[in-house]
Amino acid sequence: MRTNYETRYAAHPEDAKGYDTQRLRRDFLIEKIFSTDEVNMVYSMYDRMIVGGAMPVNEALPLEAIDPLKADHFTTRREVGIFNVGGKGIVRVGNDTFELDYKEALYIGRGDYDVTFSSADKNRPAKFYFNSTTAHCQYPCKKITKDNAIVAHMGSLEMSNERNINKMIVNQVLPTCQLQMGMTELLTGSVWNTMPAHTHSRRMEAYFYFELPEDQAVCHLMGEPQETRHIWMKGEQAVLSPEWSIHSAAATHNYTFIWGMGGENLDYSDQDFTEITALR
């Protein structure tokens, strides 16, 4: 097995205005989330969030403490939210074992835990997508399914944005320090998410897009409301969204995405909206 990581530095919005396509993709797009028997991570300077993925096929994969953490365990000063987007998998946290099926989630609280990922069937490997933020106190580990989620049905087919927002790792479901995660499922015929667009300067965000056919693509919109940019993405890729940036998308097919937030507060509705006609 291998653990791979890279560091992404924060950008000032005035600087980001001048980025070309290559620079935008280099700084914000995370192209490789899953690879066989590897753990891949990006350590972001946006609220110190780590975005990563683990795909165990032939062996169990440990969640190792990478060098920037300067800790014996990955979770020594961190909490972690995990979603399984592959075959049935198993996450071991210390002496506890959690089985995660497709679209099920796990919250791991701060603590000196040994964490490992494995698949129930190597022919249908699990794919564990995770976000991690710093944590100032410890809360219990907990498995979350869509049955436990707070579900908001929003939009309409006429507006091409009918979707179910599954709020799963949020403070209305379980206690966390700053990490908030959920999963938005767009219904057939709908392709737009997060319109009207918004920013929340108290929190950064990361988006992971999946359930998108290989021959289709999603156009992720970012940037200040009056200075927007776009990044074309494939399925099973993620993107970082700074606190000053909108985070919206339209695709050539309906899709699902996992959103994760870290920052100053846990108020999901803390958003500064921009009218659609005011975007530039």
Side-chain angles (χ1 to χ4, degrees), residues 46-192:
Y46 294 110
D47 287 296
R48 304 283 173 169
M49 179 183 277
I50 292 177
V51 176
M55 183 177 168
V57 178
N58 301 299
E59 57 183 313
L61 303 178
L63 182 59
E64 296 179 318
I66 57 177
D67 183 67
L69 303 187
K70 305 301 182 185
D72 293 332
H73 297 81
F74 187 93
T75 55
T76 295
R77 295 184 296 271
R78 286 185 161 269
E79 57 187 352
V80 187
I82 302 167
F83 278 75
N84 183 12
V85 297
K88 184 173 292 186
I90 300 142
V91 182
R92 290 183 173 85
V93 184
N95 296 321
D96 297 321
T97 299
F98 300 91
E99 294 185 357
L100 297 185
D101 215 331
Y102 188 61
K103 291 185 175 180
E104 293 184 338
L106 175 66
Y107 170 78
I108 301 176
R110 167 179 172 163
D112 289 326
Y113 299 119
D114 290 322
V115 178
T116 60
F117 303 104
S118 58
S119 296
D121 181 356
K122 64 177 293 184
N123 295 314
R124 295 186 64 251
K127 295 179 179 180
F128 298 104
Y129 171 73
F130 61 87
N131 291 168
S132 173
T133 52
T134 58
H136 60 273
C137 60
Q138 183 175 357
Y139 291 115
C141 301
K142 183 176 180 180
K143 175 181 172 178
I144 308 100
T145 69
K146 287 169 64 176
D147 291 337
N148 309 129
I150 297 172
V151 182
H153 182 80
M154 299 185 68
S156 66
L157 182 59
E158 290 77 13
M159 296 296 290
S160 302
N161 65 356
E162 188 175 11
R163 62 202 188 276
N164 290 319
I165 302 175
N166 302 277
K167 304 174 188 178
M168 297 174 73
I169 302 178
V170 296
N171 60 332
Q172 297 95 335
V173 175
L174 77 168
T176 70
C177 287
Q178 63 164 311
L179 183 64
Q180 305 276 278
M181 295 183 73
M183 179 173 60
T184 299
E185 301 168 302
L186 277 80
L187 277 63
T188 301
S190 290
V191 296
W192 274 104

Side-chain angles (χ1 to χ4, degrees), residues 25 29 186 191-193 207-221 230-239 248-257:
R25 295 177 71 85
L29 177 63
L186 277 80
V191 296
W192 274 104
N193 79 69
Y207 271 26
F208 169 77
Y209 294 96
F210 69 112
E211 292 192 323
L212 186 70
E214 289 187 5
D215 61 345
Q216 303 297 308
V218 58
C219 184
H220 178 84
L221 302 177
H230 69 271
I231 298 176
W232 280 100
M233 299 174 59
K234 300 177 181 178
E236 297 190 349
Q237 293 183 341
V239 64
S248 183
T252 56
H253 190 281
N254 65 302
Y255 53 94
T256 299
F257 67 94

Side-chain angles (χ1 to χ4, degrees), residues 154 163 165 184 192-207 220-226 228 241-249 257 259-261 267-276 278-279:
M154 299 185 68
R163 62 202 188 276
I165 302 175
T184 299
W192 274 104
N193 79 69
T194 323
M195 276 291 179
H198 65 263
T199 59
H200 29 67
S201 60
R202 279 69 59 194
R203 296 191 302 264
M204 62 79 65
E205 197 156 359
Y207 271 26
H220 178 84
L221 302 177
M222 63 164 295
E224 294 177 286
Q226 307 305 317
T228 59
S241 180
E243 71 285 348
W244 45 262
S245 176
I246 66 169
H247 30 282
S248 183
F257 67 94
W259 42 268
M261 296 183 284
D267 182 3
Y268 178 85
S269 62
D270 178 13
Q271 302 167 357
D272 300 319
F273 286 97
T274 299
E275 293 183 6
I276 294 174
L279 294 171

